[in-house]
Amino acid sequence: MKLWNGRFGINSDSKTDMYNASISFDIKLLPYDVKASIAHVTTLKQANVLTSEESEILIIGLEKINEEYQNGQIEFFVEDEDVHMLIERLLTLKVGELGKKVHTGRSRNDQVATATRLYTIDKLHYLYDCLESWIDCLDQQSLRYLSDIMAGCTHLQAAQPITLGFWFDAYKQMFIRDLQKLENCLDSMNQCPLGSAALAGTSYPLDRYLTANILGFKQPTANSMDSVADRDYIADSLYICTLIGVHLSKISEELIIFNSQVYNYITLDDRYSTGSSIMPQKKNPDIAELARGKSARMIGNLTQLLTMIKGTPLAYNKDFQEDKESLFDSIENTTLALELFIPMIETAKFNTEK
């Protein structure tokens, strides 16, 4: 029996289940949904909806599910539909009928809004650290090559003499602006939607400030309808990832040109290059080329999300299920690119005489 099956007399078609399910990708939200569920259980206990013993049993069960997930021991099925129903099924298997009480006073609408926001904040904090390290790398290179003369270009034509350090500093400024935007994005999403329920709250006397505090949010969201419908923070996140990706694409374009035999300005380390299956003399700047290509995918992810949300009425709509794959993809690829670019630049050899 599905969580929502109350009014239905027959089971849904198997292809409906496949089309409707998000478990194959939103499984990544499991640690964050568990964290939010533990906070919700604590709030239910504070409201005397759960006893201390019940809340302790539920929290231990939830922690065990997260532990099993981290150890790769969780098995899921299309019939689970999404990560929220998976957790409730596993919890009920562990603690019996008490497991169903975890859903008291909440909806999957505010569940997914909270879990996705927790995921985004966590991943963006790590992206922030990576971006800071990348800016530091560019700063070190700008100082290292402070006096090495090169041709500054407009229209890809030699225009004025500059230094290689000045060139590095120009890119550093782009990523500093990205860092500032990322900081503002993190600040604006620091509000907790849990307690909004389906769209208009719940009759249970839940302390949303307590829930927000447990989860590390600055405050609860102000309007429950907006809370379950809001995907602006995902749009902001995708925009920042896209801008970082575009800036990485710009520097990649120059690195690819500089790496060519015509220019011979730079030699990339073998660890950050690939070869040809038929021309063994070649060494290709594939990391830079992939970053240039993946920026197009990030632009597509941002466009997909904005196109999806533009016609959705208040409050929650199933369309919103389509926000996660774009979010996961852009954050993961942006982070991985920065993790690669730092050592790629640090180990690159610049032919300053040329």
Side-chain angles (χ1 to χ4, degrees):
M1 289 290 290
K2 293 182 173 66
L3 194 61
W4 48 263
N5 214 41
R7 68 167 296 280
F8 289 81
I10 58 173
N11 290 329
S12 52
D13 184 272
S14 60
K15 288 185 179 178
T16 299
D17 288 341
M18 289 177 62
Y19 197 65
N20 193 44
S22 58
I23 186 66
S24 62
F25 52 87
D26 70 14
I27 186 68
K28 290 184 180 182
L29 296 178
L30 188 143
Y32 305 95
D33 197 84
V34 165
K35 183 178 180 180
S37 294
I38 289 173
H40 184 63
V41 166
T42 304
T43 307
L44 287 172
K45 184 186 77 169
Q46 188 261 356
N48 296 317
V49 177
L50 292 173
T51 67
S52 296
E53 183 183 2
E54 286 175 328
S55 66
E56 184 178 353
I57 292 169
L58 289 171
I59 289 171
I60 291 172
L62 288 164
E63 289 173 341
K64 182 64 177 174
I65 290 169
N66 189 45
E67 181 185 333
E68 290 171 355
Y69 173 77
Q70 301 298 340
N71 293 332
Q73 297 172 319
I74 295 291
E75 186 178 10
F76 59 84
F77 308 95
V78 170
E79 291 77 15
D80 286 313
E81 193 171 316
D82 58 40
V83 67
H84 320 296
M85 289 172 63
L86 168 67
I87 291 171
E88 186 166 330
R89 176 176 69 81
L90 295 175
L91 186 61
T92 304
L93 285 173
K94 290 184 184 303
V95 306
E97 286 295 298
L98 173 61
K100 295 181 180 180
K101 283 192 175 184
V102 75
H103 201 65
T104 305
R106 72 177 181 183
S107 163
R108 284 186 294 171
N109 295 359
D110 62 342
Q111 262 189 279
V112 70
T114 306
T116 306
R117 200 171 285 231
L118 287 170
Y119 166 91
T120 306
I121 290 171
D122 184 34
K123 298 302 180 184
L124 288 187
H125 274 297
Y126 182 66
L127 178 61
Y128 188 96
D129 293 340
C130 290
L131 191 54
E132 275 193 320
S133 298
W134 171 234
I135 291 168
D136 185 57
C137 171
L138 292 171
D139 184 59
Q140 290 174 22
Q141 299 302 312
S142 70
L143 295 173
R144 180 180 178 184
Y145 297 107
L146 189 65
S147 303
D148 292 292
I149 304 297
M150 70 179 289
C153 296
T154 62
H155 306 278
L156 209 57
Q157 306 294 311
Q160 288 182 280
I162 60 168
T163 68
L164 180 56
F166 194 61
W167 179 85
F168 270 116
D169 186 71
Y171 277 106
K172 184 184 78 173
Q173 300 308 318
M174 296 182 198
F175 291 103
I176 287 175
R177 292 194 297 272
D178 295 340
L179 192 71
Q180 291 167 342
K181 290 182 179 69
L182 182 51
E183 190 171 342
N184 292 336
C185 176
L186 281 165
D187 182 64
S188 69
M189 73 173 71
N190 193 11
Q191 299 178 33
C192 181
L194 198 58
S196 300
L199 78 158
T202 173
S203 56
Y204 288 95
L206 303 182
D207 185 346
R208 293 192 63 211
Y209 284 90
L210 173 63
T211 309
N213 183 58
I214 293 170
L215 291 173
F217 288 101
K218 183 168 58 179
Q219 61 193 31
T221 50
N223 182 289
S224 57
M225 286 187 77
D226 176 59
S227 298
V228 299
D230 175 27
R231 294 301 182 272
D232 291 359
Y233 68 96
I234 298 181
D236 289 341
S237 303
L238 290 179
Y239 170 68
I240 290 163
C241 286
T242 301
L243 203 55
I244 294 170
V246 166
H247 290 154
L248 287 174
S249 180
K250 284 173 65 67
I251 193 172
S252 293
E253 174 74 7
E254 295 208 64
L255 292 172
I256 291 162
I257 293 170
F258 291 170
N259 185 69
S260 67
Q261 288 92 334
V262 175
Y263 270 75
N264 191 28
Y265 278 7
I266 182 175
T267 301
L268 296 173
D269 191 279
D270 286 357
R271 288 169 293 180
Y272 307 103
S273 308
T274 63
S276 167
S277 61
I278 197 171
M279 296 168 285
Q281 81 281 4
K282 291 181 81 242
K283 186 163 82 167
N284 303 323
D286 278 10
I287 298 301
E289 289 177 0
L290 280 169
R292 189 174 58 181
K294 285 179 185 290
S295 67
R297 199 159 97 198
M298 293 176 193
I299 293 169
N301 287 340
L302 175 59
T303 303
Q304 179 264 335
L305 182 87
L306 292 174
T307 306
M308 181 195 73
I309 64 178
K310 71 176 179 61
T312 50
L314 287 171
Y316 182 83
N317 299 273
K318 192 70 171 186
D319 311 47
F320 297 155
Q321 182 169 290
E322 295 299 306
D323 60 3
K324 293 165 201 63
E325 288 178 288
S326 296
L327 178 67
F328 299 161
D329 181 64
S330 286
I331 290 181
E332 289 171 6
N333 275 291
T334 305
T335 303
L336 182 57
L338 291 172
E339 289 175 330
L340 280 167
F341 266 66
I342 293 168
M344 183 175 75
I345 291 298
E346 287 176 341
T347 58
K349 294 177 182 177
F350 286 86
N351 185 353
T352 52
E353 185 179 343
K354 179 72 159 58

